[in-house]
Every structure is written in structure tokens, then in C-alpha cells.
Amino acid sequence: MMTMKSHIKNLTVQTTLFGQSVAKAIPKTLECSVVELTSNWLTEPSLQELVDENINSTRPVDNNLGK
């Protein structure tokens, strides 16, 4: 039972360290870009309208795919 507990504890520590390493590896400019894109999406209705238009547009179909 103690061996299992120590394995779980070691795995938890490793997972935490891995998560911290990944967080440090993400460039700050990328984080800022995500925040800016989200902000633009929420504040500019024209972007949302553009996406709505593209969702409802017809898609090209290749009839030769089934042959």
C-alpha cells in the first residue's frame, strides 16, 4: 500500500513540474495574442457576422471523390 502511495505522490510531483515547464515555455506574446483575439471577437460584431456568413455559405463539392 505504501509503494502505491509513493508512486502516486511521485507522479503528482512529476505532473506538476511538467505543467510548470509548459507554462514557462509559452511565449508571452502568444498569450497576449490570444487575449487580444478574444477581446476583438467580443467587441466587434462585424467579426461575428463574418463568421456567420461563412458558416451558412455553400461548400464546394468534388463529385470525383466517390469514384
Side-chain angles (χ1 to χ4, degrees):
M1 187 69 154
M2 288 303 290
T3 305
M4 184 63 88
K5 284 184 180 181
S6 68
H7 285 308
I8 291 172
K9 184 176 180 180
N10 287 338
L11 183 60
T12 303
V13 169
Q14 289 174 355
T15 303
T16 302
L17 292 174
F18 179 74
Q20 290 172 350
S21 297
V22 169
K24 288 178 185 176
I26 296 175
K28 294 293 180 192
T29 54
L30 182 59
E31 288 180 31
C32 293
S33 297
V34 171
V35 171
E36 184 177 354
L37 287 171
T38 303
S39 174
N40 288 345
W41 173 258
L42 294 173
T43 58
E44 295 185 27
S46 61
L47 292 175
Q48 296 173 11
E49 292 170 6
L50 183 63
V51 169
D52 288 341
E53 289 174 11
N54 286 336
I55 287 175
N56 296 325
S57 66
T58 58
R59 305 284 191 281
V61 177
D62 187 353
N63 294 327
N64 296 320
L65 288 175
K67 294 180 180 179

